Amino acid sequence: MTKSQSRSPKSIRITEEQQQLLDRLLLQFPDVTSESDLIYRAFVEGLYVLAARATVPGRGVLHGGLSTAEVAGHVERMLVELLPFVVAHGTLLPRILAQLQELGLTGKDATSSAALDAPPAFEQDAQRDADGLGAEFL
Amino acid sequence: MNASKDQQSILDHLVGAGTGPIIFPELSSTITIQGVSCLAVGVDNGNDALKLSMLGNDGRLFTQRVPMAIAPARTIQSGRAEATSVVDGIPLWVGAVALRHDGQDIPAGATAQRVVDPRWRQIFFAALADLLAEAGYVPGAYNLVVSLAVPNTEVARDTRSDRLGVVAETAAAIRAHVRGQVAVVQRVDARGATQQWTLTVQQVLGQAQSLGTFTAWSKSPAGRTVQDVEGVLVVDLGGGDQQQTEITVSPYQLLTERIGDGTITLARAFQRSFPGAQLTTLAAQQALMTGQLMLSGRRRDVTHQIQQVLAAEGQNLIGRMLPALRQQRLFVLFTGGGIILLGDLLHERIATTSKRPGEDYALVPPAFASELNSVGALFNLLFKTR
């Protein structure tokens, strides 16, 4: 989306609850170096969602002028990554999948979160050894 | 090789696939980092070639070796066109295509010197787009996390943190010229079909080159340690350098010694076999790998000249590896693209020692010797992000 990594400062107002949520989320993403970086990540992901929704003819360019392939690529990857969570904890999607299953349109118990491949768990030793031998994010 | 499947190393999986596709079921290159969905790519930034690895969505491993050569793309008036990469709007031929058209070499050197060269960036992004296309990803915009293998000498213990890591100069260059970089790459294949890729390097995992081979040899695809060896001497015969690196895991230590020039010495000797041809060292390296050379408009079989070079210069390279075989303390692992050329000679020399294959030493099969560092680097990244 961006051709340059230079960023302009923009200010927004957030609520106390949103600030607390940010603080808690920051702990979940150790690779994110700062609160502003976390906000930036949320902003980038959110922009692609908005671009996917920007489909009204006559109100400027569709999809914010981005190519449909670019928008679809980003949104699709977000969706695929979040599907196991939504299937396990959502309300609407499990019902839709159950209906599809009743209609014979799915091959296995698609309402089970196990039906969607969870990321494999790796042995922690492997990460520890790579860290110990100098592999580091730069 | 006969171990149960979960006791097989990553390298065992590669060898076990034979000539068929190499598939790691349940794995893919899709990872999440900094909350963003990305694709993981292993890259070994060799002096003679970039070696790249990634997994397709079905877990199939794809690797590429891209010679570090580049040339401006020209219009071919008739006949078969060449695959062209348009990087940031500049039409280019890279890798083997560039070598066919008198492309320039990128000078060998430290990572910090190479990544600042705009031609390095062009080859890097063109190679990434080629890899994604080969791995079956649809053209579009992708965030990438690159697991970048740098020369072993560029990883050292930081005195303040007492931890091994990429040295400051290399790290600073990668942060300035690789991490965060965005490129638009159009791939125009030989039939004129065009694909466009927008690639963003979201993050870079730096590491020593030999760590990739060590990981591929010692870990299963699930990250389990499958070797009972605590200390390994990795002897890496690369294009630019010949290095040996002692790796121990308890305590974590990495001691590197450069023991001489790599297969570039063979390339220089090969150049001297064709004094009028004005071969670049990279073109000579490529001829050594392929056994063919274009001269006076004819593709010539140069196997005979290669054998002469190996007989004269190859023994010098082998001779520098012998001290590694004489020591008894560490398991010895021979790797690097030079194994493709010198594997047979090395086998002959090892056979004259008391070393036992599998027990005292292992030789990475030539089919994987060039790309194994990048495969291991890819897995080091996967291990860290799931």
Side-chain angles (χ1 to χ4, degrees):
Chain A
M1 186 187 299
T2 52
K3 298 241 182 324
S4 161
Q5 286 297 294
S6 64
R7 300 176 189 174
S8 305
K10 301 282 181 191
S11 298
I12 55 169
R13 293 176 187 278
I14 60 173
T15 65
E16 184 63 28
E17 289 77 15
Q18 288 165 337
Q19 177 64 61
Q20 289 167 2
L21 178 59
L22 274 175
D23 292 341
R24 292 192 295 269
L25 287 176
L26 195 55
L27 298 174
Q28 286 280 321
F29 300 99
D31 297 318
V32 177
T33 52
S34 65
E35 185 180 291
S36 61
D37 207 22
L38 184 66
I39 296 171
Y40 178 72
R41 301 293 168 202
F43 168 73
V44 170
E45 292 202 5
L47 273 187
Y48 280 113
V49 173
L50 292 176
R53 286 180 179 162
T55 56
V56 183
R59 291 188 194 168
V61 292
L62 303 183
H63 307 298
L66 300 176
S67 74
T68 51
E70 180 177 1
V71 175
H74 277 278
V75 175
E76 185 178 49
R77 280 193 294 285
M78 280 190 261
L79 281 174
V80 168
E81 185 189 326
L82 294 173
L83 268 178
F85 176 80
V86 179
V87 169
H89 305 289
T91 53
L92 190 57
L93 194 58
R95 259 185 279 158
I96 293 170
L97 291 172
Q99 287 169 3
L100 289 173
Q101 193 186 7
E102 282 173 19
L103 294 169
L105 297 176
T106 60
K108 51 184 176 179
D109 182 7
T111 57
S112 160
S113 60
L116 290 161
D117 293 335
F122 292 107
E123 298 279 334
Q124 288 188 339
D125 283 2
Q127 178 179 346
R128 197 182 57 215
D129 288 350
D131 285 348
L133 289 167
E136 61 175 357
F137 285 110
L138 301 174
Chain B
M1 235 26 55
N2 295 323
S4 67
K5 204 150 190 178
D6 63 345
Q7 287 297 317
Q8 286 187 338
S9 69
I10 296 161
L11 177 58
D12 288 336
H13 279 261
L14 268 57
V15 174
T19 55
I22 300 162
I23 297 173
F24 295 96
E26 300 175 13
L27 296 185
S28 82
S29 268
T30 301
I31 60 173
T32 301
I33 194 160
Q34 295 181 335
V36 178
S37 183
C38 300
L39 293 177
V41 183
V43 177
D44 178 5
N45 187 24
N47 273 315
D48 58 336
L50 276 182
K51 280 81 72 173
L52 305 96
S53 301
M54 77 180 304
L55 299 170
N57 278 328
D58 58 354
R60 181 173 172 183
L61 178 71
F62 293 86
T63 63
Q64 282 195 350
R65 179 182 181 277
V66 181
M68 292 300 292
I70 191 166
R74 300 197 300 269
T75 302
I76 294 177
Q77 285 88 346
S78 63
R80 184 174 175 276
E82 294 280 22
T84 300
S85 299
V86 183
V87 183
D88 300 332
I90 303 170
L92 300 163
W93 287 330
V94 301
V97 178
L99 286 175
R100 285 201 292 272
H101 296 278
D102 297 327
Q104 294 176 305
D105 299 6
I106 305 297
T111 305
Q113 294 158 0
R114 301 176 73 215
V115 299
V116 299
D117 189 329
R119 296 170 300 174
W120 185 91
R121 168 192 159 87
Q122 290 164 339
I123 296 174
F124 175 67
F125 278 107
L128 286 171
D130 275 357
L131 182 69
L132 263 68
E134 190 188 341
Y137 292 93
V138 294
Y142 291 90
N143 293 309
L144 306 177
V145 181
V146 175
S147 190
L148 186 65
V150 300
N152 297 343
T153 48
E154 295 178 27
V155 171
R157 190 167 293 280
D158 182 81
T159 50
R160 282 176 301 178
S161 65
D162 197 33
R163 285 171 53 89
L164 281 170
V166 175
V167 298
E169 185 186 16
T170 301
I174 290 170
R175 289 188 190 111
H177 300 284
V178 185
R179 192 184 76 177
Q181 292 295 305
V182 184
V184 178
V185 182
Q186 287 173 315
R187 295 179 71 250
V188 186
D189 68 20
R191 291 169 300 175
T194 301
Q195 299 177 333
Q196 181 162 308
W197 306 79
T198 303
L199 305 177
T200 303
V201 179
Q202 193 78 25
Q203 186 56 275
V204 177
L205 179 73
Q207 69 216 264
Q209 285 167 331
S210 291
L211 179 58
T213 287
F214 177 73
T215 295
W217 172 78
S218 65
K219 302 292 184 196
S220 75
R224 183 173 298 114
T225 300
V226 294
Q227 303 287 355
D228 60 354
V229 175
E230 287 188 15
V232 175
L233 189 63
V234 179
V235 182
D236 191 336
L237 182 53
D241 297 318
Q242 194 177 9
Q243 296 184 348
Q244 60 183 37
T245 302
E246 183 179 329
I247 298 176
T248 58
V249 293
S250 183
Y252 291 117
Q253 289 180 331
L254 191 136
L255 300 168
T256 293
E257 182 186 1
R258 186 183 184 279
I259 55 178
D261 287 342
T263 56
I264 194 166
T265 58
L266 303 177
R268 288 178 185 138
F270 186 80
Q271 283 174 305
R272 290 194 291 275
S273 305
F274 297 93
Q278 295 185 322
L279 285 177
T280 63
T281 50
L282 201 57
Q285 296 256 35
Q286 187 73 355
L288 288 171
M289 301 289 272
T290 61
Q292 293 187 326
L293 182 65
M294 183 75 93
L295 282 173
S296 302
R298 298 179 184 89
R299 192 176 299 280
R300 286 180 50 179
D301 183 330
V302 290
T303 313
H304 175 65
Q305 288 85 348
I306 292 173
Q307 291 305 322
Q308 286 182 323
V309 166
L310 293 182
E313 302 289 336
Q315 293 295 350
N316 289 336
L317 293 177
I318 299 284
R320 289 193 213 120
M321 301 186 198
L322 294 182
L325 284 168
R326 288 193 202 107
Q327 60 80 37
Q328 301 288 328
R329 190 167 56 89
L330 300 165
F331 186 92
V332 187
L333 193 53
F334 293 98
T335 189
I339 299 297
I340 298 166
L341 289 165
L342 295 169
D344 291 343
L345 284 175
L346 190 54
H347 270 301
E348 286 174 18
R349 292 294 283 268
I350 296 172
T352 65
T353 72
S354 59
K355 294 281 184 188
R356 297 158 298 175
E359 194 63 32
D360 303 316
Y361 79 94
L363 201 67
V364 173
F368 309 109
S370 183
E371 283 96 348
L372 195 62
N373 282 339
S374 74
V375 175
L378 171 65
F379 274 88
N380 282 332
L381 173 56
L382 297 178
F383 294 158
K384 279 178 77 81
T385 52
R386 293 270 179 81

